[in-house]
Amino acid sequence: MEVLTGGVCAAKGFYASGAEAGIKYQNRKDMALIYSETPCVCAGTFTSNVVKAAPVLWDKKIVENAPYAQAVIVNSGIANACTGREGMECCEKTAAAAARALNVPADSVLIGSTGVIGMQIPVERIEAGIEKLAAGKAHSTEAAQSAAEAIMTTDTVDKQAAVRFEMGGKTVTMGGMCKGSGMIHPNMCTMLAFVTCDIAISKELLQKAVSESIVDSFNMISVDGDTSTNDTFLFLANGQAGNPELTEENADYEIFKEALHYINTTLARKMAGDGEGATALFETRVVGARNKEEARTLSKSVICSSLTKAAIFGHDANFGRILCALGYAGVDFDPERVDLYFQGKNDKIHIYGDGVACDYSEEEATKILSEPEVTVLVDMHQGDAEATAWGCDLSYEYVKINADYRS
Amino acid sequence: MEVLTGGVCAAKGFYASGAEAGIKYQNRKDMALIYSETPCVCAGTFTSNVVKAAPVLWDKKIVENAPYAQAVIVNSGIANACTGREGMECCEKTAAAAARALNVPADSVLIGSTGVIGMQIPVERIEAGIEKLAAGKAHSTEAAQSAAEAIMTTDTVDKQAAVRFEMGGKTVTMGGMCKGSGMIHPNMCTMLAFVTCDIAISKELLQKAVSESIVDSFNMISVDGDTSTNDTFLFLANGQAGNPELTEENADYEIFKEALHYINTTLARKMAGDGEGATALFETRVVGARNKEEARTLSKSVICSSLTKAAIFGHDANFGRILCALGYAGVDFDPERVDLYFQGKNDKIHIYGDGVACDYSEEEATKILSEPEVTVLVDMHQGDAEATAWGCDLSYEYVKINADYRS
């Protein structure tokens, strides 16, 4: 497996573009296009929030019923959530405009929106934006970059990943992009993430692989515990790699799943590390749990704890908050058997064991906690299962961003 | 029912005091005593966190097995949690010292601790502090005030409440105190709260009333979603009112429960409004829910949402975040049937209905959201059940307090 650049344009036959459409207040790119020159098998997962944005309802229908997908239109700035009938009409008009501009069926057009909830999108700006996107689309690293920038809201960096691998005698390429960075606590999916691939694969197997991969990637991150109304993950596969169509869970499927896991965890980590106001990626790895489910629950509880997140921001080895977060996760364990470690790029120190604080150096702990990626390692000594969750610290900047977001 | 001052000293026969024992870094009061001149029937509820502080384990044993309780010793500054065998020994020595100083059995001494997790308490300072507390104890409003101040950590104000009511031809008085103000997301109980009463009541009935009252008072508040290792609620009843012992759920029991509910919700609201860094009490009242449980879940989801809390801090009518938090609460509903209102002391405005934003004045919304107590009223239109939850806004100060807490 070879790591590449090129994001959603890395795979054969995929085009992208980004454009300014005047949806955001500032003059910033706010619309993106992903387009495949040939029809795609498509899989997706969506928010579990009862309040679902209009584009989520639109996409679910396409993923479940349409014969194929061929384009994705994304806007940032307005989420098109809590917008009633007018919001659904906006999706219909968006798909119709994209269908005309790209010469594809309207029911092959997927839609993603992100931004303020409760406002209506000025649909004529979307329609004009689609003209620009169609005219500017290209199969290039620059085009993928432009699309990845256009979907950003409070993100500070664009988030892309791509890999290449061999399968059935052919070279297959997969690439994706996503955006965070607030209201991030995905449940069944993430805010907005799009992965393209030139693999030939059946729809059933693709959906299975996607649904499984989400659980240990996007569903293991949290910025603020708020599960968005717009969470959307979409995977488009156009088959241009020319491999024999993947239809069963054989050795090739395992290769594909490994590549998918790499792309998804890479994007998920980028999203967590660029959480609103974040100064550090905060990783919690739980080992020695009784089962996978408990390992996931425990690791997620730690990265979701506001108090622990604030301590990480303050570079403070306040390990009691970590134990406290493990303790209210809903998993039974004996606190006296737990071991806690802080882990940096080169150092690892034992913080807690045998029911009491270890005799560690506060100075060394502060040094580790000042790195841009901080890992807490928890050994439960209950079994063999493990899981990793990713979050970020809680800073003044998070509060600032979210106290002022609309203004 | 008459509202009084006097806190834990309002009821007959109860004494209190506060003292400096050198547990906290600064020269601040950090130990409190509650003492009854006669033995008390006692009930309690404790944290559901798997990681339980030593005093929680100690108190559970006393509440369940000891014939009666007569004193409570509280320290702030160090939580005595994650302290292993040494932590339990500290409780034993604390109870022994209080038994000597107050001439009561060691197994009638309850203990509460709050502060940093993972540090050992210098027990000789506790022993010296107990001498001061015993010497200074008094049955007065000032003594109750001193005790209420001594249990504060990051609290900015002390929290007390007291009421008087008639029962069985006698006057019964009940009073309490509590402290917050971080790691507040009680589950089965709150951080530290103590209520005294001169009622004569059976232990079984007292525990039943306490357990029921907690559900709609302390369990409905949250500051940061972190369920503490030390949550403790204790109720001491010494029978000095002289009423016929309350042993069954008759009309007198209803009067008692009403008084208890008043004390508990008053203390709980004070705790939420004085959450770490809070500039406002943030109340969410859900009406028209299908059942009580769903009403509780929905209202709590809103007051726990970091994004909503940050919007309240910014006085920003970002109602989409409220709908979003309702949507991920785990309760099924149709977003198009929900009505949202912002409510201030004198004003109430309709923000969202029929699936879209109402035509409200942003200026008026900002005015309401700038008051010290902000209420969101949610009508689900699904049934008759309702519940209220209390939280606070999320401010820079919360981050500051918790990034620096130990230093």
Side-chain angles (χ1 to χ4, degrees):
Chain A
M1 200 168 74
E2 182 196 352
V3 174
L4 309 176
T5 56
V8 292
C9 286
K12 280 184 197 157
F14 283 99
Y15 292 69
S17 53
E20 274 182 31
I23 315 285
K24 281 182 187 159
Y25 288 103
Q26 310 95 333
N27 289 341
R28 282 173 59 193
K29 275 185 278 191
D30 50 15
M31 283 192 74
L33 164 72
I34 303 171
Y35 164 77
S36 167
E37 47 185 30
T38 50
C40 297
V41 170
C42 171
T45 59
F46 303 94
T47 184
S48 61
N49 198 313
V50 173
V51 181
K52 290 176 170 55
V56 167
L57 299 173
W58 174 269
D59 287 355
K60 275 173 82 85
K61 222 169 47 185
I62 305 282
V63 169
E64 285 162 20
N65 304 321
Y68 62 87
Q70 201 161 348
V72 187
I73 302 289
V74 191
N75 78 276
S76 53
I78 300 180
N80 195 5
C82 302
T83 46
R85 179 66 220 149
E86 193 178 334
M88 279 312 295
E89 278 166 14
C90 175
C91 289
E92 286 156 21
K93 288 181 181 164
T94 301
R100 280 192 305 275
L102 298 165
N103 195 25
V104 298
D107 73 350
S108 76
V109 178
L110 295 153
I111 302 170
S113 295
T114 173
V116 179
I117 300 177
M119 277 176 71
Q120 300 290 351
I121 294 184
V123 70
E124 64 290 349
R125 296 192 191 175
I126 293 279
E127 289 167 335
I130 286 171
E131 295 298 326
K132 286 196 200 178
L133 290 171
K137 71 177 188 298
H139 174 68
S140 68
T141 301
E142 294 68 33
Q145 175 76 23
S146 181
E149 287 166 3
I151 64 174
M152 290 163 61
T153 51
T154 48
D155 305 67
T156 66
V157 290
D158 64 282
K159 299 164 186 78
Q160 302 179 77
V163 290
R164 180 166 289 162
F165 53 98
E166 300 298 314
M167 177 185 292
K170 301 287 179 178
T171 300
V172 179
T173 308
M174 185 189 295
M177 66 177 185
C178 69
K179 57 86 56 191
S181 65
M183 208 175 263
I184 296 290
H185 184 86
N187 193 354
M188 294 317 295
C189 191
T190 182
M191 192 66 177
L192 288 186
F194 308 98
V195 182
T196 56
C197 186
D198 45 24
I199 194 174
I201 185 169
S202 74
K203 190 175 173 82
E204 291 66 34
L205 204 59
L206 180 60
Q207 183 66 51
K208 183 170 195 294
V210 163
S211 297
E212 282 177 17
S213 174
I214 291 301
V215 178
D216 282 308
S217 55
F218 291 109
N219 279 6
M220 290 304 283
I221 67 169
S222 183
V223 168
D224 48 21
D226 282 285
T227 301
S228 158
T229 48
N230 287 54
D231 289 349
T232 298
F233 175 92
L234 291 169
F235 192 108
L236 300 178
N238 67 7
Q240 293 198 13
N243 64 300
E245 191 192 16
L246 199 56
T247 56
E248 54 189 67
E249 299 181 38
N250 52 22
D252 279 354
Y253 179 69
E254 292 308 315
I255 295 172
F256 169 68
K257 281 214 344 186
E258 195 192 324
L260 179 60
H261 186 70
Y262 171 80
I263 294 290
N264 283 356
T265 52
T266 301
L267 292 175
R269 277 175 62 105
K270 288 186 186 208
M271 208 183 287
D274 190 34
E276 284 179 339
T279 71
L281 174 74
F282 172 34
E283 175 176 281
T284 297
R285 183 166 164 240
V286 169
V287 302
R290 272 188 299 238
N291 56 59
K292 188 80 182 169
E293 194 50 40
E294 291 192 354
R296 287 187 190 117
T297 303
L298 289 163
S299 57
K300 243 186 137 167
S301 185
V302 174
I303 60 122
C304 287
S305 155
S306 296
L307 286 168
T308 305
K309 289 154 59 90
I312 300 290
F313 174 62
H315 307 155
D316 178 7
N318 201 327
F319 71 89
R321 295 177 179 172
I322 296 169
L323 266 168
C324 177
L326 293 168
Y328 62 67
V331 172
D332 196 35
F333 64 87
D334 178 358
E336 313 244 325
R337 292 192 60 204
V338 172
D339 280 302
L340 284 189
Y341 305 84
F342 286 140
Q343 214 170 342
K345 202 171 159 64
N346 303 307
D347 306 295
K348 175 176 162 182
I349 54 174
H350 196 185
I351 295 288
Y352 169 90
D354 290 326
V356 294
C358 299
D359 188 22
Y360 62 90
S361 142
E362 286 282 354
E363 207 174 319
E364 208 183 331
T366 302
K367 187 172 148 259
I368 289 179
L369 295 176
S370 306
E371 295 185 18
E373 300 196 1
V374 173
T375 297
V376 168
L377 174 64
V378 183
D379 192 338
M380 303 299 294
H381 296 292
Q382 294 184 303
D384 295 327
E386 61 175 272
T388 303
W390 300 277
C392 59
D393 55 344
L394 173 61
S395 69
Y396 303 123
E397 201 57 22
Y398 176 84
V399 178
K400 184 167 196 307
I401 290 167
N402 288 302
D404 299 340
Y405 185 60
R406 294 195 321 164
S407 31
Chain B
M1 201 167 72
E2 182 195 352
V3 175
L4 309 176
T5 56
V8 293
C9 286
K12 280 185 197 158
F14 281 99
Y15 292 69
S17 53
E20 273 181 33
I23 315 285
K24 280 182 186 158
Y25 288 103
Q26 310 95 335
N27 289 340
R28 281 173 59 193
K29 275 186 278 191
D30 49 16
M31 282 193 75
L33 165 72
I34 303 171
Y35 165 78
S36 167
E37 46 186 33
T38 49
C40 297
V41 171
C42 172
T45 58
F46 303 94
T47 184
S48 61
N49 198 312
V50 173
V51 181
K52 290 176 171 55
V56 167
L57 298 173
W58 174 269
D59 287 355
K60 273 173 85 86
K61 221 168 49 186
I62 306 281
V63 170
E64 284 162 20
N65 305 320
Y68 61 87
Q70 201 162 349
V72 188
I73 301 289
V74 192
N75 78 276
S76 52
I78 300 179
N80 195 6
C82 303
T83 46
R85 180 66 219 148
E86 194 178 332
M88 279 312 294
E89 278 166 17
C90 175
C91 290
E92 286 156 21
K93 288 179 180 166
T94 300
R100 281 192 305 274
L102 298 165
N103 195 26
V104 298
D107 73 350
S108 76
V109 178
L110 295 153
I111 302 170
S113 294
T114 173
V116 179
I117 300 176
M119 278 174 71
Q120 300 290 351
I121 295 184
V123 70
E124 63 291 348
R125 296 193 192 174
I126 293 280
E127 289 166 335
I130 286 170
E131 294 299 324
K132 285 196 200 177
L133 290 170
K137 71 178 187 297
H139 174 69
S140 67
T141 299
E142 295 69 32
Q145 175 76 22
S146 181
E149 287 167 2
I151 63 174
M152 290 163 61
T153 51
T154 48
D155 304 67
T156 66
V157 290
D158 64 282
K159 298 162 188 79
Q160 302 180 77
V163 290
R164 180 166 290 162
F165 53 98
E166 300 297 315
M167 176 185 293
K170 300 288 180 179
T171 300
V172 179
T173 309
M174 185 190 294
M177 65 178 186
C178 68
K179 57 86 59 190
S181 63
M183 209 176 263
I184 296 290
H185 183 86
N187 192 353
M188 291 320 292
C189 191
T190 182
M191 191 65 176
L192 289 186
F194 308 99
V195 181
T196 58
C197 186
D198 45 23
I199 193 173
I201 185 169
S202 74
K203 191 177 173 80
E204 292 66 34
L205 204 59
L206 181 60
Q207 183 66 53
K208 182 170 195 294
V210 163
S211 297
E212 283 176 14
S213 174
I214 291 301
V215 179
D216 282 307
S217 55
F218 292 109
N219 279 6
M220 290 304 285
I221 67 170
S222 183
V223 168
D224 47 20
D226 281 284
T227 301
S228 158
T229 49
N230 287 53
D231 288 349
T232 298
F233 175 93
L234 290 169
F235 192 108
L236 299 177
N238 68 7
Q240 293 198 15
N243 62 301
E245 191 192 18
L246 199 57
T247 57
E248 54 189 68
E249 300 180 40
N250 52 23
D252 279 353
Y253 179 69
E254 292 307 315
I255 295 172
F256 169 68
K257 282 217 339 189
E258 194 191 326
L260 180 60
H261 186 70
Y262 171 81
I263 295 290
N264 283 357
T265 51
T266 302
L267 293 175
R269 279 176 60 105
K270 289 186 184 205
M271 208 182 288
D274 191 34
E276 284 179 339
T279 70
L281 174 74
F282 172 36
E283 175 176 282
T284 298
R285 183 164 163 241
V286 168
V287 302
R290 272 188 301 235
N291 56 59
K292 188 81 182 167
E293 195 50 40
E294 291 192 353
R296 287 187 190 116
T297 303
L298 289 164
S299 56
K300 243 185 137 168
S301 186
V302 174
I303 59 122
C304 287
S305 155
S306 295
L307 286 168
T308 305
K309 287 153 60 88
I312 299 290
F313 174 62
H315 308 155
D316 178 7
N318 201 327
F319 73 88
R321 295 177 179 174
I322 297 170
L323 265 168
C324 178
L326 293 168
Y328 62 67
V331 172
D332 196 35
F333 64 87
D334 178 357
E336 313 244 325
R337 292 193 59 203
V338 172
D339 280 302
L340 283 191
Y341 304 83
F342 285 140
Q343 212 170 342
K345 203 172 160 64
N346 303 308
D347 306 295
K348 174 175 161 182
I349 54 174
H350 196 186
I351 296 288
Y352 170 90
D354 290 326
V356 294
C358 299
D359 188 22
Y360 62 89
S361 140
E362 287 282 353
E363 208 176 319
E364 207 183 332
T366 301
K367 188 171 149 260
I368 290 179
L369 294 176
S370 306
E371 296 186 17
E373 300 196 1
V374 173
T375 297
V376 169
L377 173 64
V378 183
D379 192 337
M380 303 298 295
H381 296 292
Q382 295 184 303
D384 294 326
E386 60 175 90
T388 303
W390 300 278
C392 58
D393 55 344
L394 174 61
S395 69
Y396 303 124
E397 202 57 22
Y398 176 84
V399 178
K400 183 167 195 308
I401 291 167
N402 288 302
D404 299 341
Y405 186 60
R406 295 195 319 165
S407 33

